[in-house]
C-alpha cells in the first residue's frame, strides 16, 4: 500500500482502478515549405475549425454548468484570434519557410513561457490555456479529429500528467470518479471546471507510472492518493465514502433552509476554518459565516513571522469569498502544542498551562500589532470581527483593546482604509473566564466558548492523554453549567455568545444549546447540515 | 490625445475573463487605445498583450486615447472600468 500526497482541488472520495492516461507523444515537427501563402491559408482554415470546436465546448459548458464558466472558452477564442498570436505565426511561416504546425507550436510555447514566468499564480495558470489552444490548432492542421480522452465503460480514477480545460469539459463523469494529476495549478481553468462538475480532484501527486489498473483510493478532502489499499484501509474508506454521500444528500435537502426549530427559535450555524483552503467547504455546506478562523497556520507554515501583507491577503480573501457574511478571526494561538522556532519560546514543563496566545502577545505587542493591522485592513473588504484566545483576566482584555485602538489610530494617520465596525470578542476557554464572564461581558462585544480547552481545564484532564478518556467527559455537568453561566452573563449585557469547539457539532446537545438561546454554533464544515437537521427537528415547546 | 488613470479594484485583476471582456470593450471604441502599467505598454485591443502586463488588484493603469472620437472613448471607458474593474 502506497500513499501519495498532493493538493486538493475539489473534495470527495472515490475507490476504483487507476487509469493512467497515455497520450501519444506527437511533436509538431518542423518541415520546410515552399508556398508560404498557402501555409498561412492552412493556418487560417485550421483556426476557423478550432473556433467551431470552441463554440461547441462553450455550448456544452453553458448547458452543464453556467455562463461564467462557459466564458473560459470565449477567452480561448480570443486568444486564438489574437492579433499578436496571428502575426507571430505568420511571421515564422514567412521568415523560416516552415509548416504552420511548427509556427503554432513555437508561438504557443513562447506565450506559455511568458505566462508561466509571471509572479502571479493566476497568470501562471494561463499557460495551460495557451497550450490548450495551440494543441487544438496543431491537431486540426494534422487533420485529426478531437478524440475521446479515454474509452472506458467501467468506473476509473483518471490519472494524468495534466489535463486541459477542454478535456475536463468533455470528460464522462459517469465513469471518471476522480482525477489525479502530477502537474497543474489550483488557479487553472481545468481545476475550476472540475470543481464545478463535482469531480473529486487532487493535483501535484508524484505518482508512479506502474499504478495503471491497480485499485486506488482518492481521498480528495485529504488530498491523498492511496494505491493498493489493504482490507482495513479499504473498509475505512468505504465507510467514509458512504458517510460523505449521506452528507451530500442531506446537503441537497437542507441547503438554503433556515436554522429554525419547529416552534420558531433561530440559531446561526457558522464554520470553523484553518485557512483559505477551507472556505470552499464552508460555502458548499451553506455556512452562515465563519465563527472561528484560526490564524495559526500563517505562523506555522513559515520560517519567520508572516508579514502584514501576507496576512492581509489571506484575511481579505476569506472575507471577500464569504461575501459580507461574518468572519471572526482569532488572533494567533501559538504556544502549547503549536510551537514555532522563530518565536524562540523556552521549553515548558506544562505547556497547556503555559506561555501561549495572548500571553505572548501582551509581552510582545509588536507581533500582535502586525496581525491586527492586517485584520483591520482586510475589514475594508468584508465583515470581519476579531477574537482573542486564552483570556483569564480583565486587565488582559483592557490592554488588548488599547493595542487595538493604537493600531486603528496608526492606520487612520496613514490614511489606510478599514471598517469601524470590527467587533472585539474573547474566547471563553478557561475556568477563570467563565467565573468572571459577567465582567468580561461588559468589556467586549461577544463571546465564543471554546469547549475543547474549557473541558480540559475544568476537568483537569489532558485531552491528548488516552489514559484519561473516561475522565474527559464533554457532557460533564460542570461543562454544561459553565456554558449556561456564560450564556446568561453575555445576554444580561446583550452580547452575542457562540460555541466553537467540538461540542457545538454534538447533536445530542443541540436542544440544550437552543434552550439556553445560544446565538451561534460554529462547527467544522462537514457538520453544518447535520446540526441544521438537528435544529429543525427540535421543538422547544414540548 | 486623452489620458485616463485608474486603479483596478476587481479582485482577480486583469486575468483571463476580465481581460477578455476589457479587450472586447476596447475593440468597440473607434480610436487607438494604449494601456500602460509600470512603464510597460500594450495595445488595449489585443488580449495576449494586455494579459502580458499582469495587472493585479490595487495596481494603477494609465490609458492613452488617440484619434477619432478620443474624448467619447475615454468617458465610455471610464464608466466601463468603474462598473467592471
Amino acid at each position: 500500500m502506497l500513499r501519495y500526497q498532493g493538493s486538493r482541488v475539489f473534495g470527495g472520495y472515490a475507490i476504483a482502478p487507476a487509469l493512467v492516461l497515455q497520450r501519444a507523444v506527437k511533436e509538431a515537427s518542423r518541415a520546410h515549405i515552399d508556398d508560404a501563402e498557402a501555409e498561412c491559408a492552412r493556418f487560417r482554415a485550421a483556426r476557423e475549425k478550432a473556433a467551431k470546436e470552441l463554440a461547441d465546448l462553450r455550448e456544452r459548458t453553458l448547458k452543464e454548468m453556467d455562463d461564467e464558466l462557459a466564458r473560459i472558452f470565449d477567452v480561448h477564442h480570443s486568444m486564438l484570434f489574437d492579433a499578436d498570436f496571428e502575426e507571430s505565426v505568420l511571421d515564422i511561416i514567412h521568415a523560416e519557410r516552415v509548416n504552420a504546425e511548427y509556427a503554432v507550436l513555437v508561438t504557443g510555447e513562447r506565450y506559455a513561457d511568458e505566462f508561466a514566468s509571471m509572479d502571479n499564480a493566476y497568470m501562471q495558470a494561463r499557460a495551460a490555456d495557451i497550450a490548450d489552444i495551440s494543441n487544438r490548432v496543431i491537431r486540426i492542421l494534422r487533420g485529426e479529429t478531437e478524440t475521446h480522452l479515454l474509452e472506458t465503460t467501467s468506473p476509473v480514477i483518471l490519472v494524468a500528467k495534466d489535463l486541459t480545460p477542454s478535456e475536463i469539459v468533455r470528460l464522462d463523469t459517469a465513469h471518471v470518479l476522480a482525477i489525479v494529476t502530477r502537474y497543474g495549478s489550483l488557479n487553472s481553468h481545468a481545476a475550476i471546471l472540475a470543481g464545478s462538475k463535482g469531480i473529486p480532484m487532487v493535483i501535484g501527486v508524484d505518482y508512479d507510472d506502474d499504478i495503471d489498473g491497480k485499485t486506488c483510493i482518492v481521498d480528495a478532502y485529504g488530498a491523498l492518493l492511496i494505491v493498493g489499499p489493504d482490507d482495513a484501509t479499504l473498509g475505512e474508506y468505504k465507510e467514509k465514502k458512504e458517510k460523505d454521500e449521506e452528507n451530500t444528500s442531506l446537503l441537497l435537502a437542507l441547503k438554503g433552509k433556515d436554522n429554525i426549530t419547529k416552534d420558531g427559535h433561530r440559531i446561526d450555524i457558522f464554520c470553523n476554518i484553518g485557512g483559505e483552503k477551507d472556505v470552499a467547504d464552508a460555502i458548499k455546506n451553506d455556512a452562515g459565516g465563519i465563527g472561528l478562523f484560526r490564524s495559526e497556520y500563517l505562523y506555522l507554515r513559515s520560517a519567520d513571522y508572516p508579514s502584514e501583507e501576507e496576512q492581509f491577503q489571506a484575511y481579505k480573501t476569506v472575507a471577500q469569498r464569504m461575501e459580507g457574511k461574518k468572519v471572526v478571526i482569532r488572533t494567533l494561538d501559538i504556544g502549547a502544542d503549536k510551537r514555532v522556532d522563530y518565536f524562540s519560546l523556552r521549553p515548558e514543563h506544562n505547556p497547556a498551562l503555559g506561555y501561549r496566545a495572548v500571553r505572548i502577545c501582551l509581552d510582545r505587542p509588536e507581533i500582535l500589532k502586525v496581525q491586527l493591522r492586517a485584520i483591520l485592513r482586510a475589514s475594508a473588504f468584508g465583515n470581519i470581527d476579531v477574537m482573542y484566545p486564552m483570556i483569564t483576566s480583565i486587565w488582559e482584555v483592557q490592554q488588548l483593546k488599547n493595542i487595538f485602538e493604537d493600531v486603528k489610530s496608526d492606520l487612520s494617520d496613514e490614511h489606510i482604509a478599514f471598517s469601524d465596525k470590527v467587533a472585539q470578542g474573547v474566547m471563553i476557554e478557561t475556568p477563570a473566564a467563565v467565573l468572571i464572564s459577567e465582567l468580561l461581558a461588559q468589556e467586549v462585544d461577544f463571546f465564543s466558548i471554546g469547549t475543547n480547552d474549557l473541558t480540559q481545564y475544568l476537568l483537569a484532564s489532558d485531552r491528548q492523554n488516552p489514559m484519561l478518556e473516561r475522565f474527559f467527559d464533554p457532557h460533564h455537568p460542570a461543562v454544561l453549567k459553565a456554558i449556561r453561566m456564560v450564556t446568561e452573563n453575555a445576554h444580561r449585557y446583550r452580547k452575542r455568545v457562540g460555541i466553537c469547539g467540538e461540542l457545538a457539532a454534538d447533536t445530542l446537545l443541540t436542544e440544550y444549546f437552543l434552550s439556553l438561546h445560544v446565538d451561534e454554533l460554529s462547527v467544522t464544515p462537514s457538520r453544518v447540515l447535520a446540526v441544521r437537521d438537528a435544529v429543525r427537528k427540535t421543538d422547544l415547546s414540548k | 490625445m486623452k489620458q485616463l488613470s485608474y486603479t483596478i479594484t476587481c479582485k482577480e485583476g486583469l486575468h483571463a475573463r476580465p481581460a477578455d471582456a476589457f479587450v472586447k470593450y476596447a475593440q468597440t471604441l473607434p480610436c487607438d487605445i494604449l494601456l500602460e502599467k509600470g512603464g510597460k505598454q500594450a495595445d488595449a485591443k489585443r488580449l495576449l498583450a494586455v494579459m502580458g502586463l499582469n495587472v493585479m488588484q490595487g495596481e494603477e493603469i494609465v490609458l492613452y486615447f488617440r484619434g477619432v472620437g478620443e474624448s467619447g472613448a475615454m468617458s465610455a471607458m471610464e464608466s466601463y472600468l468603474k462598473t467592471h474593474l
Side-chain angles (χ1 to χ4, degrees):
Chain A
M1 184 166 81
L2 285 168
R3 286 165 182 264
Y4 302 87
Q5 185 70 44
S7 304
R8 174 181 66 176
V9 169
F10 185 77
Y13 296 102
I15 303 170
L19 191 153
V20 178
L21 188 67
Q22 301 292 353
R23 284 203 182 83
V25 183
K26 291 177 185 169
E27 283 290 307
S29 54
R30 183 189 167 112
H32 177 80
I33 49 104
D34 294 318
D35 188 348
E37 276 314 315
E39 205 57 22
C40 294
R42 273 187 72 224
F43 165 67
R44 291 200 186 89
R47 195 172 57 170
E48 288 305 324
K49 272 196 184 160
K52 280 209 185 73
E53 291 182 358
L54 288 173
D56 290 344
L57 281 166
R58 187 192 200 292
E59 190 65 26
R60 180 162 178 180
T61 311
L62 186 60
K63 218 186 289 169
E64 293 175 12
M65 290 168 255
D66 63 29
D67 185 55
E68 187 56 28
L69 293 167
R71 285 180 48 214
I72 289 169
F73 295 104
D74 289 343
V75 176
H76 280 204
H77 184 275
S78 301
M79 286 175 166
L80 185 63
F81 283 85
D82 181 81
D84 291 315
F85 191 90
E86 178 179 21
E87 278 166 24
S88 165
V89 171
L90 301 186
D91 281 353
I92 293 171
I93 292 174
H94 279 289
E96 302 183 30
R97 299 265 149 191
V98 287
N99 52 337
E101 287 91 329
Y102 182 76
V104 171
L105 178 79
V106 171
T107 302
E109 280 178 352
R110 204 177 65 210
Y111 279 108
D113 288 348
E114 182 186 334
F115 286 121
S117 65
M118 285 184 183
D119 59 352
N120 169 347
Y122 269 123
M123 285 302 183
Q124 287 166 6
R126 301 292 76 84
D129 294 293
I130 293 278
D132 200 2
I133 62 152
S134 33
N135 290 341
R136 179 177 306 284
V137 176
I138 292 168
R139 192 199 73 239
I140 292 169
L141 282 166
R142 284 211 186 93
E144 294 163 9
T145 51
E146 195 165 23
T147 53
H148 280 282
L149 193 58
L150 53 151
E151 308 277 340
T152 174
T153 49
S154 59
V156 294
I157 288 167
L158 177 61
V159 179
K161 279 192 182 148
D162 204 355
L163 291 171
T164 65
S166 53
E167 283 169 339
I168 300 274
V169 170
R170 299 174 75 251
L171 271 188
D172 166 15
T173 43
H175 294 119
V176 177
L177 303 189
I179 301 170
V180 173
T181 66
R182 177 167 291 154
Y183 307 110
S185 137
L186 296 176
N187 292 307
S188 70
H189 285 146
I192 294 168
L193 289 163
S196 157
K197 277 191 111 158
I199 311 174
M201 181 172 179
V202 181
I203 63 171
V205 177
D206 199 15
Y207 60 85
D208 294 296
D209 287 317
D210 66 358
I211 67 171
D212 190 55
K214 290 185 185 163
T215 297
C216 290
I217 297 171
V218 172
D219 169 3
Y221 293 110
L224 203 60
L225 170 71
I226 303 170
V227 179
D230 55 36
D231 287 346
T233 310
L234 206 53
E236 177 197 334
Y237 275 96
K238 276 185 179 153
E239 203 173 301
K240 280 188 177 175
K241 184 167 183 278
E242 225 163 78
K243 275 210 179 126
D244 186 52
E245 282 162 359
E246 223 169 84
N247 191 50
T248 308
S249 57
L250 205 60
L251 180 128
L252 290 175
L254 289 175
K255 219 170 163 173
K257 299 235 168 109
D258 286 332
N259 306 311
I260 187 167
T261 63
K262 288 190 166 142
D263 55 329
H265 287 267
R266 282 170 193 278
I267 192 164
D268 286 329
I269 304 179
F270 286 10
C271 273
N272 302 337
I273 61 166
E276 298 117 292
K277 63 176 174 37
D278 298 332
V279 179
D281 267 352
I283 294 170
K284 189 183 101 184
N285 287 288
D286 218 9
I290 303 298
L292 170 63
F293 179 178
R294 300 184 183 93
S295 58
E296 293 79 66
Y297 79 104
L298 291 164
Y299 295 81
L300 295 170
R301 74 179 180 191
S302 57
D304 200 351
Y305 297 99
S307 69
E308 176 185 325
E309 189 61 27
E310 180 186 350
Q311 296 192 51
F312 163 66
Q313 291 296 345
Y315 305 148
K316 186 180 87 171
T317 303
V318 173
Q320 283 182 326
R321 293 198 58 195
M322 291 308 292
E323 299 181 329
K325 289 182 176 146
K326 178 71 69 198
V327 176
V328 181
I329 302 175
R330 182 179 70 186
T331 60
L332 71 158
D333 190 0
I334 292 294
D337 52 337
K338 295 167 201 142
R339 307 200 65 85
V340 186
D341 290 342
Y342 57 84
F343 272 77
S344 311
L345 302 173
R346 283 195 207 124
E348 295 177 78
H349 287 298
N350 221 337
L353 303 179
Y355 194 56
R356 60 182 274 204
V358 294
R359 298 172 176 185
I360 301 174
C361 293
L362 289 169
D363 280 348
R364 294 157 74 178
E366 67 281 2
I367 297 175
L368 181 64
K369 279 187 173 176
V370 172
Q371 180 167 36
L372 290 177
R373 277 179 71 96
I375 291 173
L376 279 163
R377 281 175 59 200
S379 72
F381 298 87
N383 183 358
I384 289 180
D385 287 348
V386 60
M387 175 159 77
Y388 307 111
M390 256 328 255
I391 297 296
T392 52
S393 300
I394 295 293
W395 68 264
E396 296 163 344
V397 178
Q398 287 164 341
Q399 286 197 8
L400 290 163
K401 283 164 67 184
N402 287 340
I403 296 172
F404 187 76
E405 287 309 315
D406 287 349
V407 171
K408 270 167 109 171
S409 82
D410 287 350
L411 288 172
S412 296
D413 292 347
E414 295 165 44
H415 303 291
I416 295 174
F418 62 90
S419 162
D420 56 5
K421 295 195 176 62
V422 179
Q424 295 176 86
V426 291
M427 293 279 292
I428 303 289
E429 54 192 334
T430 63
V434 173
L435 294 171
I436 61 164
S437 52
E438 183 167 6
L439 298 173
L440 286 171
Q442 298 169 64
E443 286 289 335
V444 300
D445 302 312
F446 65 93
F447 288 163
S448 185
I449 306 173
T451 55
N452 301 354
D453 270 335
L454 183 59
T455 307
Q456 130 167 312
Y457 294 135
L458 276 175
L459 304 182
S461 299
D462 181 351
R463 60 185 161 112
Q464 284 161 351
N465 185 342
M467 305 277 289
L468 296 177
E469 207 170 301
R470 75 192 173 103
F471 300 98
F472 187 91
D473 173 15
H475 291 187
H476 192 290
V479 177
L480 301 184
K481 188 174 176 188
I483 294 172
R484 175 196 291 271
M485 261 181 78
V486 171
T487 307
E488 285 172 358
N489 283 330
H491 286 166
R492 188 163 300 143
Y493 295 93
R494 300 185 185 287
K495 301 294 165 70
R496 203 178 141 82
V497 57
I499 301 175
C500 58
E502 277 160 44
L503 218 51
D506 185 340
T507 48
L508 293 173
L509 292 174
T510 307
E511 183 170 351
Y512 178 67
F513 297 148
L514 281 161
S515 73
L516 297 180
H517 301 291
V518 167
D519 300 284
E520 166 207 314
L521 298 173
S522 192
V523 302
T524 187
S526 63
R527 294 291 293 164
V528 170
L529 295 162
V531 176
R532 175 174 297 168
D533 192 39
V535 169
R536 293 175 63 85
K537 283 178 177 153
T538 302
D539 188 346
L540 293 177
S541 66
K542 281 188 180 156
Chain B
M1 192 187 68
K2 298 280 176 195
Q3 184 179 335
L4 170 67
S5 298
Y6 184 78
T7 302
I8 300 293
T9 59
C10 105
K11 67 175 174 189
E12 293 163 327
L14 270 182
H15 91 290
R17 282 170 281 177
D20 186 40
F22 167 81
V23 167
K24 282 184 173 139
Y25 188 77
Q27 286 169 350
T28 65
L29 300 171
C31 60
D32 290 340
I33 307 174
L34 267 185
L35 169 65
E36 185 181 277
K37 188 204 98 174
K40 278 172 71 183
Q41 291 191 334
D43 182 341
K45 300 185 180 190
R46 295 187 173 202
L47 177 63
L48 291 173
V50 167
M51 286 172 68
L53 290 186
N54 187 11
V55 180
M56 295 192 265
Q57 183 184 36
E59 292 188 326
E60 192 189 57
I61 55 169
V62 185
L63 288 157
Y64 300 94
F65 303 80
R66 199 188 304 254
V68 182
E70 58 185 30
S71 304
M74 185 179 79
S75 58
M77 182 56 90
E78 189 169 11
S79 71
Y80 177 87
L81 290 172
K82 281 183 179 155
T83 326
H84 299 282
L85 291 170

